[in-house]
Every structure is written in C-alpha cells, then in structure tokens.
Amino acid sequence: MADLEELYREIILDHYRSPRNRGELASPPAHRVEGFNPLCGDEVVVSLLVEDGTLADLKIGGSGCSISQSSASLMSAAVKGKPLDEVRRLINTFKGMMSIHEASLGHDHPHDGNGSGAEVLEGEPEEIDLDKLGELAALQGVVKFPVRIKCATLSWNALAQGLDEVAAGA
Amino acid sequence: MSATPADGTPIDGAPLPLNTEALRKDFPLLARTVNGRPIVYLDAAASALQPRSVIDAMTRYYERSHANVHRGVYATAEEATALYERARLAAGRFVGAPNPAAEVVFTKNTTESLNLVARSWGRDNLRAGDAVLLTEMEHHSNIVPWMLLSEELGGLDLRYLPVDGDGRLVLDDLERLLDGVKVVGISAMSNVLGTINPVRLVADAAHRHGAVVVADGAQLVPHAPVDVQELGADFIAYSGHKAMGPTGIGVLWGRAELLESMPPFLGGGGMILDVKLDSFRPAPPPARFEAGTPPIAEAVGLTAALAYLDDIGMERIRAHERALTDHALARLDEKLGRDVTIFGPPAGPDRGGVLSFAYRDVHAHDLAQVLDQYGVCVRPGHHCAKPLMRTLGVQATARASLSLFSDDNDIEVLIEGLLEAGRLFG
C-alpha cells in the first residue's frame, strides 16, 4: 500500500478533515468562480478578493473527494494575502508539478509498476522547485494516479480563471 | 446469516447457480494481477470483460475473412457480408425480435442508438410543445438527445417519472403524466440503482395514450432474459461491450413499421438506393440507418459474445447474479452495518446486480482508489445520471456491478477494501 500512503499523506488527510478558509465571501465585492469536474461531479467554488495587487482574501466552497478538497485547502493557505504575481507563479509551479505526469499518460498503467517514474515533457517551461511549494509538495503523490490529477488541479484552475476575470474586468 | 464458508461458494448453504471458478478461465483479463492481487472485476455495468471466444472470433475474422460488406463479389467479401448479416440475426434473436433482418440496426453503442431514435423518429414526429416522458433514473443518453431535440424544435415539454426512496419508479401519477405524451424513454434497468423497471406496465399505459416507447436496455439485456414482444417497448437499445462483446458496436431494435416510416439518421454510403446531383432515395431499413462502413469485426465479436451468453443461458445468468446480489446486500449489511448506505431496491425480483453505495463519509473516488489497491475494480462518480444523483442527494456513489463470473469471494475482498478505506479516512 506504499503508493496509497504516498497519495494520502497525513497532511492531505488533515486538510481534508479540517479544511482551511472554508466558505464564501460576499460577492460583490468578492469575485466568485465555480469549477466542475464533469467526470466525477466534484465542484469547487472559489471566491476571491483582490485589493491593491494582492489576493487579500479567498474562501473555498463546494464538495468533492479528499484530493480535490485538500488541494483547495492547501491552495487557500498558500495564496491568501500574497501579491498577485506570486500567486500566479505558485499556480504555474503547482500545475507544472501536476503536468509532469500528463506526459506519461500514454504509457502503461502505473499500477503494474510501469510508467510511474516522473517524466518531464520536452520543452517544459520551467523547472519545478518543490521547495517553493512547501506543504503543497505533499500532493506530488497524486501524479502517480493520473486520473486524480484533475481532482488536484480543480481549485487551481478555478483560481486562475478568477484572477483572469478580475484582471479583464479591471 | 452465518459467515461465508472458506470455499466461498455456498450462500445460506445453497451453492451459486454458476460455477464461477470454471467460467473465470474463459476470461483472459482475469488472469492478470493488479497491485500484486488478482483482479476483482466489479464494473460490468461500465463495460463487461470479454471471453476468449470473442477475442478469437475477431482475430479469426481479421486473419481470414476481412473485407468491406455489401460491396465486393470476391470470396472474402461474401464471407464478411454473411458474417455481418449473421450478427444482425443473432443480435435480434437475442432479444426475441420477430424479424431481425429488418428490425435490427447496428450503431456504435446504446448512446448512438438512442440518439438515432431522437434524431430520426423524434425530429420527424415531434413539434414544439409536445410532451416527452422520461424517468429520473435515466442515463444521460436517454435524456440529453431529447434535450437537444427540444432546443432544435423550439421547446419540448420534458416530464419525468419520479424515483422513490427504494429506488423504484413512482407510478401513482403515470396516467396524468402520460396525458399528451408522444414518446416515453425508460431504462429497463438502472445503471445506478440496479432497479429492473416495469417496462411492460409503463409501455402498455403509454400505448393507450398513443405514445411510442424507447427502452434503454444497456444494463438489462446482458443480464436477464429479454423478449421485445413481452417487454412491450417500440424500440430497445443495447451495447455490445456490456454484453461481453467488443466496444464500438451497439444495437437498436425497432418495430418494422416504425423503422420504415423514419428518415435517415446519417448520410453516406450504404444508406441509399440512388443518388443524383440534386437528390437521393434512401435504402429500406436497416441499411437506411447504417451509413458508412459498419463495425464488421465488432459484429463478429458480438455474435460470439451472444452465443457465449446463450450457451450459459440468460435464465441461469440472472439467477446467479440475483443470488449473489442478495448475498452481497446481506453481507455488506452484516459486516458494515450503518456505515454503508446502499441505493436501490432491497433484494428481490426487481433488483439487478448493480450496487451503488456510500461508505461512511468517504468520497466515492477515495473509496475506489483504496479498492484499487486490493485489485477491486469499481466505478466512482455520477454514472452519467446527474439528475438521479440530485434526487438521491449525493454527488457521487461508488458502484460495484456483477458479472456471470462474480462470486462471494469478490464481495469479501470488496468489504476488506472498504474497511481499509474506513481506517484510512476514519
């Protein structure tokens, strides 16, 4: 069950059981974005408040599996109060960590022990520095389970969309 | 109920109807291990496994007889055509079609069969404001095609038969709901709840109101004897791959007079009598609905699959899966008690071998992930039935679905995995 323990690390289970920044912000002034995973029905609602170039506040609503919910909780803790450019960088770094294995999706199923090694696509835009990710690095076990990657990135995609929409509206 | 004996076969002292140990040898994929464990395949409702005879028949076809159908006059082309048309007879006879040569259309899958009915019959017979009666437990494939048609026609009155707390259709208001209805779409067996619906009763009532009845047979046809004349529907659709055949082939049976009245579905080769620069004349059914090169090897595989099921006997398959369903319901209750919620009817004649459940508050995806470590293949998610999920008040369920080779050891491994998930997420 080594892979399973790697997937469901204690920090992930902790964020799943005790999610941080749960709820919704009043909108307006906050901006509200919904993310759906049509394959499993998971949904996430990210409400974000941008003030003076920083992500002043955000809350996470919705429901889903332990991976989508813990990823959203970890994300909220990592980005809240941060300058927008730093938030953008973190989104890219996190999605980079998750996309590594999208390159290996065409390989044999990892359950046989084949194709589970990380493989970076040629032309990958930047090196992934796991140190920058802090607690978020706990989610790297997800990449061994390719169908779960969309669970982990659900809230991040919603946040990125929300930032884009706020920027476009400003 | 006493604990299951070590040899795993008796249920309440009675053996399961089928010798699963022998049958398992017919399925090459079951010889594989996953995560160091034998595969416990509980996902037949998504797609069934193929017996060796199906794989061999398709290989033999490609090695010896492949050619396009209805075209060439050389020997292999004649063979391919004969094999393809033989499959049509087999697919029709499997569901008791009175005239399979004229009434069976091959499609890609059940979804395409249902879309064909909506696009061809529906577009030709429905007008804005007409009523369509579906059920809340329909698969998206018997809902969305009618919604697409509704958009195109400027609005249909979509009505739904509700589902009760036991996962059965509520028929109290059937007569009122049928008033003015032109077409009824009903799943013969729910892919989420396992409910075997009273299609005959609904069809008889629908016919009294002049409605046409479209049955989704994807789950029922591979798991119980089905006779279209007893079922009473005007169309029934099923998929090859859920009946232990290959993917890429679906079946639509329809009453001959309805098929004859319907315009073509897709345009192309094979569906015409004549084409001029400004017009065409469509071929009679079933060719009218089979534009382009059809799934020939898949038809050959389907013939072998239906022969495999027939050799065992659909009555025995149903008896086996029913006995194991009853056993599984009892065993899950005995071992997991209130921690497990099973959706769908209690054990009985209208309970098929599809078990959707929630375990404690562990999300279905997490359950399925842990079960995978035990080699257990179940399906997590909304099962393409989001309206039903909303009725049940859940976002997703985990679903274990039985095959003719399933036995009580599979249920024990499932329970073992669930207990581990409980420990992990406790």
Side-chain angles (χ1 to χ4, degrees), chain A residues 1 3-4 7-8 13 16-17 38-43 63-67 111-112 145 148 151, chain B residues 32-35 37 361-363 365-366 369-370 372-374 379 381-382 386 395-396 424-426:
Chain A
M1 305 278 152
D3 280 354
L4 209 56
L7 178 66
Y8 294 125
L13 294 175
Y16 177 51
R17 294 184 188 116
L39 293 178
C40 60
D42 280 10
E43 57 188 65
S63 57
C65 69
S66 63
I67 301 301
H111 297 204
D112 284 339
F145 299 86
R148 303 302 294 277
C151 308
Chain B
R32 191 181 152 177
T33 57
V34 163
N35 296 318
R37 284 171 166 262
D361 58 354
V362 185
H363 191 279
H365 267 188
D366 294 317
Q369 195 82 66
V370 176
D372 172 58
Q373 295 295 312
Y374 288 80
R379 162 93 188 265
H382 54 63
K386 290 197 84 169
Q395 196 174 35
L424 192 59
F425 289 95

Coordinates of all heavy atoms in Angstrom, one line a residue, chain A residues 1 3-4 7-8 13 16-17 38-43 63-67 111-112 145 148 151, chain B residues 32-35 37 361-363 365-366 369-370 372-374 379 381-382 386 395-396 424-426:
Chain A
M1 N 0.8 -1.2 0.0 CA 0.0 0.0 0.0 C 0.9 1.3 0.0 O 0.4 2.3 0.4 CB -0.9 0.0 1.2 CG -1.8 -1.2 1.4 SD -3.3 -1.2 0.4 CE -3.5 -2.9 0.2
D3 N 2.1 3.1 -2.4 CA 1.6 4.2 -3.3 C 0.4 4.9 -2.6 O 0.3 6.1 -2.7 CB 1.1 3.6 -4.6 CG 2.3 3.4 -5.5 OD1 3.4 3.8 -5.1 OD2 2.1 2.8 -6.6
L4 N -0.4 4.1 -1.9 CA -1.6 4.7 -1.3 C -1.2 5.7 -0.2 O -1.8 6.7 0.0 CB -2.5 3.6 -0.8 CG -4.0 3.9 -0.7 CD1 -4.5 4.3 -2.1 CD2 -4.7 2.6 -0.2
L7 N 0.0 8.8 -1.7 CA -1.1 9.6 -2.1 C -1.8 10.3 -1.0 O -2.1 11.5 -1.0 CB -2.1 8.7 -2.9 CG -3.4 9.5 -3.5 CD1 -3.0 10.5 -4.5 CD2 -4.4 8.4 -4.0
Y8 N -2.2 9.5 0.0 CA -3.0 10.1 1.1 C -2.1 10.4 2.3 O -2.1 9.7 3.3 CB -4.1 9.1 1.5 CG -5.1 8.8 0.5 CD1 -5.4 7.6 0.0 CD2 -5.8 9.9 -0.1 CE1 -6.4 7.4 -1.0 CE2 -6.8 9.7 -1.0 CZ -7.1 8.4 -1.5 OH -8.0 8.3 -2.4
L13 N -4.7 14.4 4.4 CA -5.9 13.9 5.2 C -6.3 15.0 6.2 O -7.5 15.2 6.5 CB -5.6 12.6 5.9 CG -5.4 11.4 5.0 CD1 -5.0 10.2 5.7 CD2 -6.7 11.1 4.2
Y16 N -8.1 17.6 4.4 CA -9.4 17.1 4.0 C -10.4 17.1 5.2 O -11.5 17.6 5.1 CB -9.3 15.7 3.5 CG -10.6 15.0 3.1 CD1 -11.5 15.6 2.3 CD2 -10.8 13.7 3.6 CE1 -12.7 14.9 1.9 CE2 -12.0 13.0 3.3 CZ -12.9 13.7 2.4 OH -14.1 13.0 2.1
R17 N -9.9 16.7 6.4 CA -10.8 16.6 7.6 C -11.0 18.0 8.1 O -12.1 18.3 8.7 CB -10.1 15.8 8.6 CG -10.0 14.3 8.2 CD -9.4 13.5 9.4 NE -9.2 12.1 9.0 CZ -7.9 11.6 8.9 NH1 -6.9 12.3 9.3 NH2 -7.8 10.3 8.5
P38 N -16.4 17.4 -14.7 CA -17.6 16.7 -15.2 C -17.5 15.2 -15.1 O -18.5 14.5 -15.2 CB -17.6 17.2 -16.7 CG -16.2 17.6 -17.0 CD -15.6 18.1 -15.7
L39 N -16.3 14.7 -15.0 CA -16.1 13.2 -14.9 C -16.6 12.7 -13.6 O -17.2 11.6 -13.6 CB -14.7 12.8 -15.1 CG -14.1 13.1 -16.4 CD1 -12.6 12.8 -16.5 CD2 -14.8 12.4 -17.5
C40 N -16.5 13.4 -12.5 CA -16.8 12.8 -11.2 C -17.9 13.7 -10.5 O -18.4 13.2 -9.5 CB -15.6 12.7 -10.3 SG -14.8 14.3 -10.0
G41 N -18.2 14.9 -11.0 CA -19.2 15.7 -10.4 C -18.7 16.5 -9.2 O -19.4 17.3 -8.6
D42 N -17.4 16.5 -9.0 CA -16.8 17.3 -7.9 C -17.0 18.8 -8.3 O -16.9 19.1 -9.5 CB -15.3 17.0 -7.7 CG -15.1 15.8 -6.9 OD1 -16.1 15.1 -6.6 OD2 -13.9 15.6 -6.5
E43 N -17.2 19.6 -7.4 CA -17.3 21.0 -7.7 C -16.6 21.9 -6.6 O -16.6 21.5 -5.4 CB -18.8 21.5 -7.8 CG -19.6 21.2 -6.7 CD -21.1 21.4 -7.0 OE1 -21.6 20.7 -7.9 OE2 -21.7 22.3 -6.4
S63 N -17.8 20.8 -2.8 CA -17.5 19.5 -2.2 C -16.9 18.5 -3.2 O -17.0 18.7 -4.4 CB -18.8 18.9 -1.7 OG -19.8 18.8 -2.7
G64 N -16.2 17.6 -2.7 CA -15.6 16.6 -3.6 C -14.7 15.6 -2.8 O -14.8 15.5 -1.6
C65 N -13.8 15.0 -3.5 CA -13.0 13.9 -2.9 C -11.9 14.5 -2.0 O -11.7 15.7 -2.0 CB -12.4 13.0 -4.0 SG -11.2 13.8 -5.0
S66 N -11.2 13.7 -1.3 CA -10.1 14.1 -0.4 C -9.1 14.9 -1.2 O -8.5 15.9 -0.7 CB -9.5 13.0 0.3 OG -8.9 12.1 -0.6
I67 N -8.8 14.5 -2.4 CA -7.7 15.2 -3.2 C -8.1 16.6 -3.6 O -7.4 17.5 -3.4 CB -7.3 14.3 -4.4 CG1 -6.8 12.9 -4.0 CG2 -6.2 15.0 -5.2 CD1 -5.6 12.9 -3.0
H111 N -0.1 1.0 -12.3 CA -0.5 0.0 -11.3 C 0.4 -1.2 -11.5 O 0.6 -2.0 -10.5 CB -1.9 -0.4 -11.4 CG -2.8 0.8 -11.1 ND1 -4.1 0.6 -10.6 CD2 -2.6 2.1 -11.1 CE1 -4.6 1.8 -10.4 NE2 -3.8 2.7 -10.7
D112 N 0.9 -1.5 -12.6 CA 1.8 -2.6 -12.8 C 3.3 -2.2 -12.4 O 4.1 -3.1 -12.4 CB 1.9 -3.0 -14.3 CG 0.6 -3.8 -14.7 OD1 0.0 -4.3 -13.8 OD2 0.3 -3.8 -15.9
F145 N -1.2 8.7 -9.9 CA -2.6 8.3 -10.2 C -3.2 9.3 -11.2 O -4.0 10.2 -10.8 CB -3.4 8.3 -8.8 CG -2.8 7.3 -7.8 CD1 -1.8 7.8 -7.0 CD2 -3.2 6.0 -7.7 CE1 -1.2 6.9 -6.0 CE2 -2.7 5.2 -6.8 CZ -1.7 5.6 -6.0
R148 N -6.5 11.2 -11.1 CA -6.7 12.1 -9.9 C -6.1 13.4 -10.1 O -6.4 14.3 -9.3 CB -6.2 11.4 -8.6 CG -6.8 10.1 -8.3 CD -8.3 10.0 -8.2 NE -8.9 10.8 -7.1 CZ -9.0 10.3 -5.9 NH1 -8.5 9.1 -5.6 NH2 -9.5 11.0 -4.9
C151 N -8.5 16.2 -10.1 CA -9.1 16.5 -8.8 C -8.2 17.5 -8.1 O -8.7 18.5 -7.6 CB -9.1 15.2 -7.9 SG -9.9 13.8 -8.6
Chain B
R32 N -4.8 -11.6 -15.0 CA -3.9 -10.5 -14.7 C -3.9 -10.2 -13.2 O -5.0 -10.3 -12.6 CB -4.2 -9.3 -15.5 CG -3.2 -8.3 -15.5 CD -3.5 -7.1 -16.3 NE -2.9 -5.9 -15.7 CZ -2.9 -4.7 -16.2 NH1 -3.6 -4.4 -17.3 NH2 -2.3 -3.7 -15.6
T33 N -2.8 -9.8 -12.7 CA -2.8 -9.2 -11.3 C -2.6 -7.7 -11.4 O -2.0 -7.2 -12.3 CB -1.7 -9.8 -10.4 OG1 -0.5 -9.6 -11.1 CG2 -1.9 -11.3 -10.2
V34 N -3.2 -7.1 -10.4 CA -3.0 -5.6 -10.3 C -2.6 -5.3 -8.8 O -3.3 -5.8 -7.9 CB -4.4 -4.9 -10.6 CG1 -4.4 -3.5 -10.1 CG2 -4.6 -4.9 -12.1
N35 N -1.6 -4.5 -8.7 CA -1.1 -4.2 -7.4 C -0.8 -5.6 -6.6 O -1.0 -5.6 -5.4 CB -2.0 -3.3 -6.6 CG -2.2 -2.0 -7.3 OD1 -1.2 -1.4 -7.7 ND2 -3.4 -1.5 -7.4
R37 N -2.3 -8.3 -6.7 CA -3.5 -9.1 -6.4 C -4.3 -9.4 -7.6 O -4.3 -8.7 -8.6 CB -4.4 -8.2 -5.5 CG -3.9 -8.1 -4.0 CD -4.8 -7.1 -3.3 NE -4.6 -7.2 -1.8 CZ -5.4 -7.9 -1.0 NH1 -6.5 -8.5 -1.5 NH2 -5.2 -7.9 0.3
D361 N -18.4 8.7 5.4 CA -18.4 9.9 4.5 C -17.2 9.9 3.6 O -16.8 11.0 3.2 CB -18.6 11.1 5.4 CG -17.4 11.3 6.4 OD1 -16.6 10.3 6.4 OD2 -17.3 12.3 7.1
V362 N -16.7 8.8 3.3 CA -15.6 8.7 2.4 C -16.1 8.9 0.9 O -17.0 8.3 0.5 CB -14.8 7.4 2.5 CG1 -13.6 7.4 1.6 CG2 -14.5 7.0 3.9
H363 N -15.5 9.9 0.2 CA -15.9 10.2 -1.1 C -15.7 8.9 -2.0 O -14.7 8.2 -1.9 CB -15.1 11.3 -1.6 CG -15.6 11.9 -2.9 ND1 -15.3 11.4 -4.1 CD2 -16.3 13.0 -3.2 CE1 -15.8 12.1 -5.1 NE2 -16.5 13.1 -4.6
H365 N -14.6 8.6 -4.9 CA -13.2 8.5 -5.6 C -12.2 7.9 -4.7 O -11.3 7.2 -5.1 CB -12.8 9.9 -6.1 CG -13.2 10.1 -7.5 ND1 -12.8 11.2 -8.2 CD2 -14.0 9.4 -8.3 CE1 -13.3 11.1 -9.4 NE2 -14.1 10.0 -9.5
D366 N -12.3 8.3 -3.4 CA -11.3 7.8 -2.5 C -11.5 6.3 -2.2 O -10.6 5.6 -2.1 CB -11.3 8.7 -1.2 CG -10.9 10.1 -1.5 OD1 -9.9 10.3 -2.2 OD2 -11.5 11.0 -1.0
Q369 N -10.2 4.4 -5.1 CA -8.7 4.4 -5.1 C -8.2 3.4 -4.1 O -7.2 2.7 -4.4 CB -8.2 5.8 -4.7 CG -6.8 6.1 -5.0 CD -6.6 6.4 -6.4 OE1 -7.0 7.5 -6.9 NE2 -5.9 5.6 -7.2
V370 N -8.7 3.3 -2.9 CA -8.3 2.3 -1.9 C -8.6 0.9 -2.5 O -7.8 0.0 -2.4 CB -8.9 2.6 -0.6 CG1 -8.5 1.5 0.4 CG2 -8.5 4.0 0.0
D372 N -8.8 -0.1 -5.4 CA -7.9 -0.5 -6.5 C -6.6 -1.2 -5.9 O -6.1 -2.1 -6.5 CB -7.4 0.8 -7.3 CG -6.3 0.5 -8.3 OD1 -6.5 -0.4 -9.1 OD2 -5.3 1.1 -8.2
Q373 N -6.2 -0.8 -4.7 CA -5.1 -1.4 -4.1 C -5.3 -2.9 -3.8 O -4.4 -3.7 -3.6 CB -4.6 -0.7 -2.8 CG -4.2 0.8 -3.1 CD -2.9 0.8 -3.9 OE1 -1.9 0.1 -3.6 NE2 -2.9 1.6 -4.9
Y374 N -6.6 -3.2 -3.7 CA -7.0 -4.6 -3.5 C -7.3 -5.3 -4.8 O -7.9 -6.4 -4.7 CB -8.2 -4.7 -2.5 CG -7.8 -4.3 -1.1 CD1 -7.7 -3.0 -0.7 CD2 -7.6 -5.3 -0.1 CE1 -7.3 -2.6 0.6 CE2 -7.2 -5.0 1.2 CZ -7.1 -3.6 1.5 OH -6.7 -3.3 2.8
R379 N -16.6 1.5 -10.0 CA -16.7 2.8 -10.7 C -17.2 3.8 -9.7 O -18.3 3.7 -9.1 CB -17.7 2.6 -11.8 CG -18.2 3.9 -12.4 CD -17.4 4.5 -13.5 NE -17.9 5.8 -13.8 CZ -18.8 6.1 -14.8 NH1 -19.3 5.1 -15.5 NH2 -19.2 7.4 -15.0
G381 N -18.4 7.9 -9.1 CA -18.8 9.0 -9.9 C -20.3 9.2 -9.9 O -21.0 8.6 -9.1
H382 N -20.8 9.9 -11.0 CA -22.2 10.2 -11.1 C -22.9 9.2 -12.1 O -24.1 9.2 -12.2 CB -22.5 11.6 -11.4 CG -21.8 12.1 -12.6 ND1 -22.0 11.6 -13.9 CD2 -20.8 13.1 -12.8 CE1 -21.2 12.2 -14.8 NE2 -20.5 13.1 -14.1
K386 N -26.8 12.4 -13.6 CA -26.7 13.5 -12.6 C -28.1 13.9 -12.1 O -28.2 14.2 -10.9 CB -26.0 14.7 -13.2 CG -24.5 14.4 -13.4 CD -23.7 15.7 -13.6 CE -23.4 16.4 -12.2 NZ -22.4 17.4 -12.4
Q395 N -23.4 13.5 -4.4 CA -22.6 14.0 -5.6 C -22.1 12.8 -6.4 O -22.0 12.9 -7.6 CB -21.4 14.8 -5.0 CG -20.8 15.7 -6.0 CD -19.7 16.5 -5.3 OE1 -19.0 16.0 -4.3 NE2 -19.6 17.7 -5.7
A396 N -21.8 11.8 -5.7 CA -21.2 10.6 -6.4 C -21.5 9.4 -5.6 O -21.7 9.5 -4.4 CB -19.7 10.8 -6.6
L424 N -8.4 4.3 6.9 CA -7.5 5.4 6.4 C -8.2 6.8 6.6 O -7.5 7.8 6.9 CB -7.3 5.1 4.9 CG -6.2 6.0 4.2 CD1 -4.8 5.8 4.9 CD2 -6.1 5.6 2.7
F425 N -9.5 6.8 6.3 CA -10.1 8.1 6.4 C -10.9 8.4 7.7 O -11.5 9.4 7.8 CB -11.1 8.3 5.2 CG -10.4 8.4 3.9 CD1 -10.1 7.3 3.1 CD2 -9.9 9.7 3.5 CE1 -9.5 7.5 1.9 CE2 -9.2 9.8 2.3 CZ -9.0 8.7 1.5
G426 N -10.8 7.3 8.6 CA -11.5 7.4 9.8 C -11.5 8.8 10.4 O -12.2 9.5 10.8

